[in-house]
Amino acid sequence: MKLHLQKPIIFFDLETTGTNITRDRIVEISAIKVMPNGEEIVRTRRVNPEMPIPEEATAVHHITDEDVANAPVFRQIAKDLANFFTGCDIAGYNSNRFDIPILDEELQRAGVKFDFSKARFIDVQTIFHKKEQRTLSAAYRFYCDKDLTEAHSANADTRATYEVLMAQLDRYDDLPNDMGKLSEFSSQNNNVDFMGRLIYDDKKREVINFGKYKGQVAEDVMRRDPAYYNWVMNGDFPQNTKDAFTRIKLRLH
């Protein structure tokens, strides 16, 4: 099945030094930009994370410190990468909760502004879990009848994710071949920030989605407890989450 696209969509996958959004770094990024006419532009790039790659991470993706020693650091490719993503919808596997937040952290750290709010996000993992509940390798076997022999290679995972989405559209008659509707279907919550620390309620108010104030309107909490904002700013939260709290705080003045 060919995707019905009004604008390009990028399928991408990251390999990283670990799973901590704020502290870990990208060591490889692979992206397939699919144009509305079906043309594909493929890019894969190793990145020097400027920190040692833990053995447990190398055990997953097989990328060592030596492999990236002469690779560019992220800030050297950040502008070109942002330009490549500009004007596109974005798809991945578990991308809403991991790849997009860590990419945003890296871009902000490099001083490159990128407005993710203009993109629609299609998370193939969420579609899979709502329909079948398996891993990417199992999804590839289930939908495409192929074995993902190079799992945790960014390029192999990216290609598999692209193929799985097309196979999902073939399999499920009720799954719309429309990027806006797919974005809605593959969203777990109506998130304000990437990590879902804030979510919108049915009145479009930002509601805290963690900790002691979970379920309470963020504006009300920050009026009652002004120190809460400072706690968030000094905490181990992604910059995207801190920015969302800052926008709320600015409305209080």
Side-chain angles (χ1 to χ4, degrees):
M1 175 178 286
K2 181 180 177 181
L3 297 178
H4 292 171
L5 302 175
Q6 287 76 48
K7 61 179 180 178
I9 183 169
I10 286 183
F11 292 80
F12 85 110
D13 183 71
L14 303 177
E15 303 301 339
T16 64
T17 59
T19 59
N20 186 291
I21 299 298
T22 59
R23 292 196 295 268
D24 281 306
R25 301 290 188 268
I26 295 170
V27 298
E28 186 176 65
I29 180 168
S30 185
I32 302 172
K33 180 186 281 191
V34 184
M35 310 301 288
N37 64 3
E39 177 191 359
E40 297 178 12
I41 304 169
V42 182
R43 290 188 181 181
T44 300
R45 196 74 180 266
R46 292 274 173 89
V47 182
N48 186 328
E50 301 183 275
M51 64 179 289
I53 302 174
E55 290 183 5
E56 54 268 28
T58 296
V60 173
H61 51 56
H62 309 296
I63 299 172
T64 66
D65 292 332
E66 291 75 17
D67 292 331
V68 296
N70 297 317
V73 300
F74 188 85
R75 63 180 176 276
Q76 292 175 304
I77 67 169
K79 288 184 179 179
D80 180 62
L81 192 63
N83 289 337
F84 189 66
F85 273 69
T86 296
C88 300
D89 290 327
I90 301 173
Y93 196 88
N94 194 32
S95 49
N96 286 358
R97 290 184 292 177
F98 181 73
D99 300 85
I100 289 171
I102 203 167
L103 178 60
D104 178 64
E105 283 288 300
E106 290 274 34
L107 288 169
Q108 294 208 47
R109 197 177 293 116
V112 175
K113 298 295 184 183
F114 185 83
D115 188 358
F116 281 95
S117 69
K118 294 182 179 179
R120 293 171 295 192
F121 304 142
I122 294 92
D123 193 324
V124 174
Q125 184 194 60
T126 302
I127 296 172
F128 187 33
H129 284 183
K130 285 185 175 181
K131 294 292 189 179
E132 308 294 344
Q133 299 191 358
R134 306 272 182 94
T135 64
L136 176 57
S137 294
Y140 199 50
R141 162 56 59 183
F142 183 85
Y143 289 110
C144 304
D145 197 26
K146 300 177 185 178
D147 290 320
L148 185 53
T149 56
E150 297 181 42
H152 296 297
S153 156
N155 182 256
D157 288 356
T158 301
R159 173 64 61 180
T161 299
Y162 177 24
E163 291 183 25
V164 166
L165 178 59
M166 290 190 292
Q168 287 172 331
L169 290 168
D170 282 330
R171 179 176 290 264
Y172 304 115
D173 292 337
D174 62 338
L175 198 62
N177 193 345
D178 175 272
M179 297 308 107
K181 293 177 181 178
L182 278 177
S183 178
E184 291 177 10
F185 186 82
S186 62
S187 296
Q188 294 281 16
N189 291 302
N190 197 5
N191 292 351
V192 177
D193 63 317
F194 293 138
M195 298 302 294
R197 298 293 187 258
L198 289 165
I199 59 175
Y200 290 111
D201 66 8
D202 55 4
K203 297 179 181 178
K204 295 298 290 183
R205 299 177 301 180
E206 298 97 336
V207 173
I208 296 170
N209 196 34
F210 69 100
K212 65 179 180 179
Y213 292 129
K214 184 174 182 178
Q216 299 186 39
V217 176
E219 278 194 13
D220 295 342
V221 169
M222 288 195 282
R223 284 193 179 97
R224 294 195 317 267
D225 183 2
Y228 182 73
Y229 172 77
N230 293 330
W231 176 79
V232 171
M233 291 301 104
N234 292 320
D236 188 20
F237 295 100
Q239 188 60 45
N240 175 260
T241 299
K242 293 179 180 180
D243 290 345
F245 274 97
T246 297
R247 288 193 296 270
I248 297 169
K249 181 175 175 59
L250 291 174
R251 294 204 305 261
L252 301 180
H253 295 286

